[in-house]
Amino acid sequence: PVNFKIAAVVHIFYPELAAELKNLLLNIPGAFDIFISTTDADKKSAIEKVFSGFDNVTIKIFANRGRDIAAAFVGFKDIYKNYDVCVHIHSKKSPHAKNILSGWRDNLYKNLLGSPQIVNGILNILSDKSVGLVFPQYFNPIRTSINWGENYHVTKNYLRTLGIEISTRNLIEFPAGSMFWFKPKALAPLLESNLTFEDFPEERGQIDGTLAHAIERAFLFIVEAAGFTWIKVDGKGLKSRSQAELEKNILKARHSVLKKY
């Protein structure tokens, strides 16, 4: 793929998943930098042990507000000007629905970072100038949750602050679980919006309706408003393809959330 300058932005609330995340990151080809956020000093030292031996890692402690979203897009927002492409992942556990969602994290990890071939396939897609964000095909048990839930008004109000208008006639698609590859330019409206940790509610195990949930549902609208498209991928379909076939598939996979239906 193109010679991108790459950063991995990783929120590790559960340090027991740090080793698994480290092994996934090793599938990124070539040089890249790692930015890890966590919520306290004990977790930070546990994570440092796992990542000792890496010289390209920055680990920071941020307030436990806004989960992975605030950590990445408020806490680390100044790093993005230095990178062409980033991957955003976190130590997801979904404790509120363990049984149904037990395979979800694994599914997201595999489809984004499961092998060097998968990562190369995604970087190839991102080498298309028009593509700004790539996220995994929905995990089957959560397909029914691809809806607004309690989040329509929060999302609408948040997008309005960025000058983006939506209605219930817009297609609702979003990177459920908020893990994806992206070009910082495609999220410029979010990164330049002066959000602070205080804008996010205190952590109370909320499962819906917070600003973090709204931003999860806002990502694709932001990408399109910034002039890019987004693509949903299945890791199994990322085996090496010819450039022509890749371009054809990108065209076929295009949808728009900003268009009214």
Side-chain angles (χ1 to χ4, degrees):
V2 187
N3 203 0
F4 286 131
K5 211 158 176 272
I6 297 175
V9 182
V10 190
H11 183 58
I12 305 184
F13 183 77
Y14 301 108
E16 59 274 27
L17 294 176
E20 185 180 346
L21 285 158
K22 179 187 84 170
N23 290 333
L24 287 163
L25 294 174
L26 293 171
N27 289 324
I28 300 176
F32 62 99
D33 294 325
I34 303 171
F35 295 89
I36 298 173
S37 50
T38 191
T39 53
D40 66 46
D42 289 349
K43 291 179 185 180
K44 183 178 183 219
S45 64
I47 294 162
E48 277 169 345
K49 282 195 187 75
V50 173
F51 280 86
S52 64
F54 280 71
D55 52 4
N56 55 342
V57 182
T58 303
I59 305 175
K60 290 202 167 173
I61 297 170
F62 296 131
N64 187 22
R65 293 173 89 119
R67 302 185 193 165
D68 58 291
I69 303 272
F73 300 109
V74 176
F76 281 130
K77 76 172 177 196
D78 294 336
I79 69 163
Y80 295 106
K81 55 184 180 299
N82 304 319
Y83 298 95
D84 305 310
V85 163
C86 304
V87 61
H88 171 61
I89 53 169
H90 55 102
S91 62
K92 185 170 186 53
K93 277 203 175 176
S94 311
H96 61 282
K98 274 210 281 292
N99 303 345
I100 316 169
L101 300 181
S102 58
W104 188 12
R105 176 179 75 235
D106 205 38
N107 177 271
L108 290 165
Y109 286 177
K110 276 206 177 80
N111 282 311
L112 289 171
L113 290 160
S115 69
Q117 291 82 345
I118 285 172
V119 176
N120 273 320
I122 291 173
L123 293 174
N124 267 326
I125 292 171
L126 284 162
S127 66
D128 183 310
K129 283 188 177 53
S130 68
V131 178
L133 187 147
V134 174
F135 69 101
Q137 188 51 268
Y138 302 120
F139 179 52
N140 257 338
I142 65 130
R143 279 175 188 268
T144 51
S145 309
I146 304 304
N147 54 39
W148 286 111
E150 305 288 305
N151 303 291
Y152 174 69
H153 291 291
V154 198
T155 309
K156 185 180 172 74
N157 293 339
Y158 172 67
L159 284 168
R160 184 166 276 165
T161 67
L162 305 183
I164 302 168
E165 286 295 333
I166 63 165
S167 82
T168 49
R169 300 207 315 281
N170 291 85
L171 181 72
I172 173 74
E173 288 234 41
F174 58 94
S178 67
M179 298 195 217
F180 48 86
W181 283 88
F182 68 101
K183 290 175 182 159
K185 284 191 180 106
L187 290 182
L190 164 63
L191 294 168
E192 290 160 11
S193 67
N194 298 321
L195 272 180
T196 67
F197 281 98
E198 283 64 50
D199 292 324
F200 294 83
E202 284 182 29
E203 184 51 54
R204 296 195 188 90
Q206 301 95 323
I207 60 170
D208 227 354
T210 70
L211 180 58
H213 291 100
I215 291 175
E216 179 181 24
R217 283 161 180 78
F219 282 126
L220 304 183
F221 293 105
I222 294 168
V223 166
E224 288 187 31
F228 291 86
T229 59
W230 47 271
I231 301 283
K232 206 163 29 173
V233 297
D234 179 338
K236 293 194 286 292
L238 286 170
K239 302 289 177 275
S240 54
R241 293 206 162 106
S242 72
Q243 200 52 38
E245 199 184 343
L246 182 69
E247 282 164 21
K248 199 173 82 203
N249 285 342
I250 288 174
L251 274 173
K252 213 165 59 189
R254 281 220 171 114
H255 293 291
S256 168
V257 287
L258 273 183
K259 199 167 90 191
K260 302 279 190 280
Y261 285 84

